[in-house]
Amino acid sequence: MTVYLHEGDLPAGVLAPGPVAVDSETMGLNPHRDRLCLLQISDGRGDEHLVRFAPGEYDAPVLKAVLADPERLKLMHFARFDMAVIHRFLGVWATPVFCTKIASKLVRTYTDRHGLKDLLKETLGVEISKQQQSSDWGAGELSDAQKEYAASDVRYLHRAHGVLVERLRREGRTHIAQACFDFLPTRAELDLAGWPEADIFAHL
Ligand code: MN
């Protein structure tokens, strides 16, 4: 199990076929203001790849091809944000997508704790640290703690996906989850186009 740090793009051929877990770290939570600093990706077989971007240098053809590959399911937690940032900086829609946060909301209706930490603790019995979440991801040198944090955000998404698929099936909510996932690029586009908070389905 190794965490690899790459500059500017993913090397070709490092990922096995199949679903990939994806997360991103940015300078903040405003996709208009805050740049993409790091993108984490894993094929679920034990290694995590971190791709770091210098300001303004988002020409990453290998990574973009993986993210846009219609044959590869992208697993993300709160995909709405990552998809908006990926689209803004890398110019691709990371679809098809499975959002573990949406799935959690559709099946873990007995709690309002849908953060990744709480989801992994309950479904897998795994503890991850969120200590480095609010740190300087644009720094010239990432600390070991930052790299470990970034990697741990994608490390367990394949296993969580497996649990959530089964729970969605059990509760008869697979179809509504899929419809939500299919809507995600539109939701992200609304965020980027200036309707971040508005519920366009609401009466008022
Ligand atoms: Mn993260």
Side-chain angles (χ1 to χ4, degrees), residues 21-192:
V22 175
D23 186 36
S24 62
E25 305 301 334
T26 59
M27 288 303 292
L29 293 176
N30 180 337
H32 292 284
R33 181 192 62 190
D34 303 323
R35 73 178 183 90
L36 172 65
C37 298
L38 192 73
L39 190 137
Q40 308 99 281
I41 191 162
S42 169
D43 61 15
R45 286 159 216 238
D47 294 337
E48 292 89 28
H49 296 272
L50 317 181
V51 180
R52 195 156 69 139
F53 302 100
E57 292 181 24
Y58 296 98
D59 183 31
V62 177
L63 179 62
K64 287 176 188 176
V66 171
L67 292 173
D69 185 349
E71 301 299 316
R72 271 197 203 266
L73 182 63
K74 268 63 72 173
L75 313 175
M76 303 185 210
H77 193 76
F78 198 49
R80 175 179 172 178
F81 177 76
D82 298 294
M83 286 180 89
V85 166
I86 288 167
H87 189 260
R88 183 175 163 216
F89 288 91
L90 299 174
V92 296
W93 286 116
T95 56
V97 60
F98 182 105
C99 176
T100 49
K101 185 166 224 168
I102 290 173
S104 175
K105 287 183 178 182
L106 287 172
V107 296
R108 295 173 67 244
T109 40
Y110 45 81
T111 179
D112 58 1
R113 301 182 72 90
H114 298 289
L116 183 62
K117 186 178 168 69
D118 288 298
L119 174 66
L120 295 180
K121 191 174 175 188
E122 187 204 293
T123 56
L124 306 177
V126 161
E127 291 270 7
I128 58 164
S129 165
K130 278 279 164 191
Q131 246 174 20
Q132 297 297 317
Q133 188 166 35
S134 312
S135 63
D136 179 10
W137 293 101
E141 192 98 358
L142 295 180
S143 68
D144 287 345
Q146 281 180 306
K147 285 185 246 179
E148 172 54 27
Y149 163 75
S152 73
D153 266 358
V154 291
R155 185 170 295 150
Y156 304 104
L157 290 183
H158 287 77
R159 285 172 61 198
H161 171 246
V163 172
L164 290 165
V165 163
E166 174 51 28
R167 296 278 299 271
L168 285 165
R169 190 203 58 73
R170 189 186 85 194
E171 298 301 326
R173 296 193 181 132
T174 302
H175 69 288
I176 200 164
Q178 188 57 53
C180 292
F181 303 154
D182 292 343
F183 181 69
L184 271 166
T186 307
R187 181 60 267 186
E189 204 169 351
L190 286 163
D191 289 343
L192 291 171

